[in-house]
Amino acid sequence: MYETILVPTDGSEHALRAAEHGVYLARAFDATVHLLNVVDVQGAAGLFDAGGVDRAFVDRLEAEGERAIEAVEDAVDGGDLRTALVRGDPREAILEYAAEQDADVIAMGTHGRTGVNRYIAGSVTERVVRFAEVPVLTVRATEGSRLEGDYEDVLVPTDGSDPAAAAIDHGVAIAERTGARVHAVNVVNVDAFGVGPDYASIEELRRHLEAEGQRATDEFAARAEEAGLEAVTDVRGGTPAKTLLRYAEEHGIDLIAMGTHGRTGLGRYVLGSTTERVLRRSDAPVLAVNAGETLTE
């Protein structure tokens, strides 16, 4: 499934942690890792750009970029690593490089270094997640994202939608390669919907949603078990992002794989807003799948 994994880096702790997970997946899938640093001359120059920048300024930025790449090379142990240093707006350059190299996954930190070379920041990562045509693995440098051994538990939120199904494909594939247990979780959020003419009461609506959620998680469990994986299912009530984050903490989840958009109507919850909240707050790495499928500028 994965042959090329792109790891943008600025040498920050968050980027280094993302690189560790990117290299881990590369080993699991026998993939090539591309380490990329984007030199953002215009962004670094800021207000001083009005008078132009000299060669020494650009050289300093490029030297910092080379050191950022070297920091990742020193931190990871071997593997098929390729490196690149490019100039441009990081938000666009990362996407362009991913397309040029036919990357299958982009692994990047959600926060990064401040100062003239910053670019692995929330706004950049969120834009890449929104517009990338491949899954984006986002990682925060937290205790929960520390990589110690293999992944043991992979969480896949599901509502039966197509994006959720795509996330299942990736979650199952990663679990197969790492020997992890998979968790299929559906969140029933009755408060998000009014009672329509088809339902006489909130309780009737709740029972309907729970039945839909159980059907979705059972289908996932059957798929996982066919692949020889241990599967756990759970249907919970609550606010989607908070419920998923709580579940991940309770079960020591190593990776969350989720769609970036989901079903409209009664079954919806794997939505952009939910994914965004999980990305920003999850201690575990999050693989956002089908990020750019339906988005345009």
Side-chain angles (χ1 to χ4, degrees):
M1 176 172 278
Y2 303 148
E3 296 181 357
T4 303
I5 297 178
L6 170 60
V7 180
T9 183
D10 62 356
S12 69
E13 186 178 1
H14 297 279
L16 288 171
R17 186 65 58 82
E20 291 173 2
H21 285 271
V23 170
Y24 170 75
L25 288 180
R27 288 175 181 151
F29 287 88
D30 194 24
T32 299
V33 174
H34 287 246
L35 304 178
L36 173 70
N37 179 272
V38 181
V39 178
D40 185 3
V41 176
Q42 183 174 354
L47 295 176
F48 299 103
D49 189 40
V53 295
D54 58 21
R55 182 66 214 179
F57 181 82
V58 176
D59 288 345
R60 186 166 69 253
L61 294 180
E62 292 183 344
E64 289 179 357
E66 294 287 357
R67 287 194 293 272
I69 292 173
E70 291 170 3
V72 174
E73 291 180 296
D74 292 340
V76 299
D77 184 18
D80 187 359
L81 298 178
R82 303 180 187 180
T83 65
L85 187 76
V86 301
R87 295 187 195 175
D89 181 338
R91 296 171 299 181
E92 304 303 328
I94 292 169
L95 293 170
E96 290 172 4
Y97 188 91
E100 291 169 0
Q101 300 299 324
D102 292 324
D104 301 297
V105 179
I106 303 171
M108 58 194 302
T110 56
H111 295 79
R113 171 176 297 166
T114 58
V116 295
N117 197 38
R118 68 183 179 201
Y119 75 84
I120 307 298
S123 61
V124 174
T125 303
E126 288 170 13
R127 181 173 179 81
V128 172
V129 169
R130 281 175 55 83
F131 292 100
E133 296 182 355
V134 297
V136 180
L137 178 67
T138 65
V139 185
R140 296 169 58 220
T142 66
E143 190 62 31
S145 71
R146 195 175 298 280
L147 188 57
E148 298 176 350
D150 289 319
Y151 291 165
E152 296 181 355
D153 292 274
V154 174
L155 167 61
V156 184
T158 182
D159 62 356
S161 65
D162 289 341
I168 290 173
D169 290 341
H170 289 268
V172 168
I174 291 171
E176 284 185 286
R177 293 297 183 114
T178 62
R181 178 190 303 108
V182 291
H183 297 248
V185 177
N186 179 277
V187 181
V188 175
N189 185 19
V190 177
D191 294 338
F193 308 99
V195 180
D198 295 334
Y199 302 97
S201 67
I202 289 292
E203 281 306 311
E204 185 177 350
L205 173 60
R206 188 191 308 278
R207 287 193 296 270
H208 171 81
L209 294 177
E210 289 175 348
E212 289 290 315
Q214 194 63 58
R215 185 158 36 249
T217 56
D218 286 346
E219 289 175 357
F220 176 21
R223 161 89 179 276
E225 288 167 359
E226 286 178 1
L229 301 173
E230 180 182 353
V232 178
T233 65
D234 199 349
V235 177
R236 294 189 172 191
T239 304
K242 289 182 179 179
T243 303
L244 294 172
L245 291 169
R246 188 181 306 114
Y247 185 97
E249 183 178 1
E250 291 172 357
H251 292 82
I253 296 298
D254 299 298
L255 174 73
I256 302 172
M258 62 191 302
T260 56
H261 292 77
R263 170 182 297 168
T264 58
L266 295 178
R268 70 185 180 193
Y269 81 87
V270 185
L271 303 173
S273 60
T274 296
T275 306
E276 181 180 332
R277 292 188 183 98
V278 173
L279 292 177
R280 289 180 176 179
R281 301 174 188 174
S282 175
D283 286 338
V286 178
L287 184 70
V289 180
N290 282 350
E293 183 179 39
T294 60
L295 293 178
T296 58
E297 287 282 3

